[in-house]
Amino acid sequence: MRRRIRRRYAAERRFRLLGLGAILLSAAFLAFLLVTMVSNGLGGFRQTEIRVDIDFAANTLSAASAGGEIEAAVAAAAEAQYGPGGARALSDTAWLRVERAIEDDPSILARKKALWLPAASAIDGAAKGDGDGEAEALVTRLEQDDAIRTGFNTDFLTGADATDPAAVGIWGAFKGSLLTMLVTLAIAFPVGVLSAVYLEEYAPRNRWTDMIEVSINNLAAVPSIIFGLLGLAVFLNTFHLPRSAPLVGGLTLALMTMPVIVIAGRNAIKSVPPSIRDAALGIGASKVQVVFHHVLPLALPGILTGTIIGMARALGETAPLLMIGMRAFIATPPDGITSPASVLPVQIFLWSDEVSRGFVEKTSAAIIVLLAFLLAMNGLAIFLRNKFERRW
Amino acid sequence: MNSMTDTVAATPLRNDAAAKMTAREVSVFYGAKKAVDSVSIDISQDNVTAFIGPSGCGKSTFLRTLNRMNDTIANARVEGQIVLDGEDIYAPAMDVVQLRARVGMVFQKPNPFPKSIYENVAYGPRIHGLADGRAQMDEIVERSLKRAGLWEEVKDRLQDSGTALSGGQQQRLCIARAIAVDPEVILMDEPCSALDPIATARIEELIHELRGRYAIVIVTHNMQQAARVSQRTAFFHLGSLVEYGETSEIFTNPRVERTKDYITGRYG
């Protein structure tokens, strides 16, 4: 008897330890992921800049100068200041900043002016402690001249994709993701919720509705690449919608998200006690009034949870978007849902594929942005859910 | 025993001058199963009518045909005729929503909406457009809660959730909610079965007070309750109406053997 009790306690303890171990293991994985991402990615938010003194008066630049002329003038100034190879210390797109400076203040064309220009990827790496001997030597020299600094990289948060890792920005992909998610939400949420309401509250129980139910459950399990092919065939080839656009990406992801919302919505609606429906019907509410005044408000927290799960999955989805051309190199942020765009996960995929070392930290930085986006979205949804739950 | 018949005394009390509802040969099927078999009965305006009988005898099912709540059950089918004030309530022209406003219902388990007490009562008048403006709505809510005997207990906390009340208060709130749309008939489906004896006594008192203003039909398991609150009693068994008459008659001098056996506790 006593031995049995001891064995029972031992079993309890064993089980508790196993559970604790499982939690610790997943926490360790999460910590590993976060630490790697943050330690690699934080550098991506910082950009090394080099001071270049440009004597605009000595050049023949004007406000109407072509890009090539400015580029040549900047290169010449850098060579003059830092010797041969000085031009290569600057990012390929450094002249763009000079052009902007001229636009902002045309009066500098008549004088000599010191400008902070983004450093080339190799110099940037060396300044952050990860470069080859040649670059490090240059950095040491620049530091003696007080001509190098590392600051917050606003260009990364406001720019779009570029060939030079020092010049890339995440805003283009971020905006693309945002627009795509808006399209997805605008399509998938109403259609999903209405389907769930119809199936639960109106549809008769027969072979047809059984078949629809099975189809929806299967649809939720279909691999996402298949939805990409479907989007390619239907939206691009049949309806000739613009390629690489958030509109098409959103529609494709909506197809994928809808079944998740329908299933979650049906479960939420099913869990509303029938006595509430009886109560409303019993005082003469119509079916629509029962659904919109009582069932949906009570089911909303559950529906929102399902929507968060579906949208979070859609936000991280890459494969279907590759199929509809969102992997193109797009150097300007999208203007609207019909202009070409990329999205965060695809951008991460593209950057992780690049050979240049400078892209490593940019990839990690992009992952941080994606995770932050995801957290913000989930946070908003949880806030909404709690708000609706409190009302009752 | 021979002096009593065991055949169904389907002859309803027809001498009722004020029959509010009349049912003629009403049968209800769930799929192929017959739950109610050819019931004919007159529901009086001025009296409380009690339906008694053992579990599964069809009394609740029949009650739900009186305001067509059975419509919500997918495979339920009703045959026969039910007339409310001369109107056939199963006629195609009958608007179910309006019917349910005229024939209100109180359920077995108190089921207030998860909203404020005020909103619970105001919901019915609002969807039927019974109140012009806030002041009139306040008046309806107050009157309904007073009639349901709940006003004194909740008048200072009308914005509290209806689900925070005790079981008996919740049931009176449900009665107030039913009264608020000014129905002609109130159907009560075992309204006290989930309540303690004190709350039950409050509800029974309330039924007495409401009598005359509304035609009341109450389904109950509890024979003492039927004897206390009703003036007419109908005994259902195995889907049929076995006997219907004055409550005092049914309980003291039943004409049918099965009724007597049930009332004296031989089964049930």
Side-chain angles (χ1 to χ4, degrees):
Chain A
M1 180 65 181
R2 187 168 295 165
R3 249 183 56 208
R4 246 201 14 230
I5 291 177
R6 234 193 352 258
R7 268 219 308 272
R8 205 179 65 208
Y9 279 128
E12 298 249 346
R13 222 173 12 248
R14 225 171 19 241
F15 186 75
R16 220 176 45 213
L17 283 177
L18 272 177
L20 191 67
I23 294 282
L24 286 179
L25 189 68
S26 31
F29 277 128
L30 186 67
F32 178 73
L33 173 83
L34 286 181
V35 168
T36 333
M37 282 311 134
V38 170
S39 62
N40 281 339
L42 277 186
F45 292 105
R46 297 167 63 74
Q47 169 68 45
T48 307
E49 293 176 333
I50 296 174
R51 198 187 65 216
V52 180
D53 303 316
I54 304 175
D55 188 1
F56 289 100
N59 289 299
T60 52
L61 291 177
S62 72
S65 291
E69 289 174 55
I70 301 175
E71 196 174 357
V74 172
E79 299 266 334
Q81 198 168 357
Y82 303 114
R88 269 183 290 121
L90 291 179
S91 156
D92 293 350
T93 51
W95 63 272
L96 282 172
R97 204 179 284 188
V98 178
E99 188 183 51
R100 231 181 302 147
I102 296 172
E103 270 169 25
D104 288 348
D105 181 13
S107 71
I108 60 169
L109 283 170
R111 48 197 164 89
K112 193 168 172 178
K113 169 101 175 143
L115 288 171
W116 287 97
L117 301 179
S121 166
I123 304 295
D124 189 40
K128 288 169 188 164
D130 175 32
D132 52 27
E134 194 190 338
E136 268 172 9
L138 183 54
V139 169
T140 330
R141 200 146 49 83
L142 288 168
E143 274 169 352
Q144 281 159 3
D145 289 356
D146 223 1
I148 189 165
R149 68 174 187 191
T150 301
F152 186 73
N153 187 357
T154 46
D155 282 356
F156 182 69
L157 291 185
T158 55
D161 200 4
T163 45
D164 181 359
V168 299
I170 199 67
W171 174 242
F174 186 87
K175 199 172 171 194
S177 267
L178 199 67
L179 293 170
T180 308
M181 285 300 104
L182 284 179
V183 173
T184 303
L185 189 67
I187 306 280
F189 187 70
V191 176
V193 172
L194 288 178
S195 310
V197 167
Y198 180 79
L199 285 173
E200 272 312 306
E201 299 285 331
Y202 288 92
R205 292 269 172 280
N206 58 28
R207 241 183 342 180
W208 287 106
T209 41
D210 283 351
M211 225 156 78
I212 290 174
E213 185 167 354
V214 171
S215 310
I216 289 174
N217 289 345
N218 281 333
L219 218 54
V222 167
S224 55
I225 187 89
I226 313 285
F227 284 107
L229 284 167
L230 180 73
L232 173 66
V234 175
F235 301 129
L236 295 187
N237 292 348
T238 309
F239 291 118
H240 301 291
L241 293 175
R243 203 166 286 273
S244 307
L247 174 66
V248 178
L251 285 169
T252 308
L253 293 179
L255 289 178
M256 214 185 75
T257 311
M258 220 149 53
V260 180
I261 297 181
V262 174
I263 292 170
R266 290 188 66 177
N267 285 334
I269 289 169
K270 229 181 268 180
S271 66
V272 174
S275 65
I276 295 296
R277 294 185 182 81
D278 279 350
L281 286 173
I283 51 172
S286 67
K287 189 101 193 181
V288 173
Q289 286 169 333
V290 172
V291 168
F292 282 94
H293 295 169
H294 300 285
V295 176
L296 272 187
L298 286 176
L300 205 56
I303 295 175
L304 283 180
T305 310
T307 309
I308 304 163
I309 294 169
M311 293 295 287
R313 201 183 129 196
L315 177 64
E317 204 50 78
T318 318
L321 301 178
L322 300 180
M323 301 309 301
I324 55 144
M326 288 190 99
R327 65 165 304 168
F329 174 80
I330 290 151
T332 48
D335 297 326
I337 56 170
T338 50
S339 51
S342 192
V343 292
L344 287 168
V346 173
Q347 192 69 78
I348 290 166
F349 167 72
L350 291 176
W351 285 351
S352 67
D353 231 18
E354 294 276 353
V355 274
S356 169
R357 277 197 60 74
F359 274 108
V360 174
E361 62 177 23
K362 301 294 176 189
T363 308
S364 297
I367 291 173
I368 292 175
V369 171
L370 175 62
L371 290 181
F373 190 173
L374 206 64
L375 270 179
M377 210 169 84
N378 286 359
L380 177 75
I382 290 169
F383 166 76
L384 284 176
R385 195 177 63 191
N386 289 348
K387 197 179 144 207
F388 282 117
E389 258 173 355
R390 254 206 298 280
R391 263 182 57 195
W392 307 102
Chain B
M1 189 189 223
N2 287 342
S3 64
M4 285 188 162
T5 61
D6 196 40
T7 52
V8 174
T11 42
L13 288 178
R14 284 179 192 273
N15 53 355
D16 235 324
K20 185 70 184 169
M21 298 187 84
T22 55
R24 290 294 172 265
E25 314 213 323
V26 172
S27 298
V28 183
F29 301 84
Y30 290 128
K33 189 177 155 281
K34 202 174 200 175
V36 172
D37 184 15
S38 192
V39 169
S40 298
I41 195 168
D42 285 4
I43 307 290
S44 134
Q45 166 69 58
D46 300 322
N47 295 307
V48 175
T49 308
F51 292 175
I52 61 169
S55 298
C57 67
K59 56 192 190 303
S60 284
T61 301
F62 178 69
L63 185 80
R64 290 168 73 95
T65 63
L66 296 179
N67 71 344
R68 293 186 59 175
M69 281 299 280
N70 278 341
D71 288 14
T72 59
I73 299 166
N75 58 354
R77 186 162 53 85
V78 178
E79 280 178 6
Q81 193 192 37
I82 299 176
V83 173
L84 168 67
D85 278 343
E87 276 180 88
D88 181 355
I89 66 169
Y90 280 88
M94 174 54 81
D95 180 59
V96 187
V97 168
Q98 285 309 314
L99 170 71
R100 292 193 189 127
R102 289 172 66 190
V103 184
M105 191 152 195
V106 176
F107 297 85
Q108 186 168 358
K109 217 180 112 234
N111 56 354
F113 298 130
K115 299 182 180 189
S116 71
I117 294 169
Y118 184 94
E119 276 305 309
N120 261 285
V121 182
Y123 180 70
R126 181 168 303 138
I127 60 173
H128 293 294
L130 298 183
D132 292 325
R134 179 85 194 180
Q136 208 175 347
M137 185 63 88
D138 288 349
E139 201 183 303
I140 292 177
V141 169
E142 182 176 342
R143 190 177 61 220
S144 306
L145 284 170
K146 273 182 176 158
R147 278 191 195 160
L150 193 61
W151 176 251
E152 289 304 321
E153 291 157 63
V154 300
K155 65 180 176 191
D156 298 324
R157 48 177 180 140
L158 289 175
Q159 294 311 318
D160 287 9
S161 174
T163 49
L165 296 172
S166 74
Q169 288 174 325
Q170 286 188 16
Q171 195 62 298
R172 275 180 281 147
L173 178 62
C174 292
I175 293 173
R177 183 176 64 190
I179 293 173
V181 292
D182 213 10
E184 299 158 32
V185 183
I186 300 178
L187 309 175
M188 297 186 178
D189 189 358
E190 301 186 33
C192 302
S193 65
L195 305 182
D196 63 68
I198 294 169
T200 301
R202 286 289 282 126
I203 303 276
E204 287 179 5
E205 231 173 88
L206 177 59
I207 293 172
H208 273 301
E209 286 160 17
L210 296 177
R211 180 190 154 202
R213 194 186 292 277
Y214 313 101
I216 295 174
V217 185
I218 177 171
V219 164
T220 177
H221 253 97
N222 181 333
M223 278 174 289
Q224 284 73 37
Q225 182 172 65
R228 284 192 299 263
V229 301
S230 72
Q231 288 74 46
R232 299 276 187 277
T233 297
F235 172 58
F236 284 76
H237 188 220
L238 301 176
S240 327
L241 176 60
V242 176
E243 188 168 350
Y244 180 42
E246 300 277 346
T247 299
S248 50
E249 284 285 306
I250 295 273
F251 279 94
T252 54
N253 188 19
R255 286 176 294 146
V256 185
E257 188 72 11
R258 275 194 284 168
T259 316
K260 188 180 163 204
D261 289 349
Y262 180 69
I263 286 167
T264 53
R266 304 258 298 263
Y267 65 91

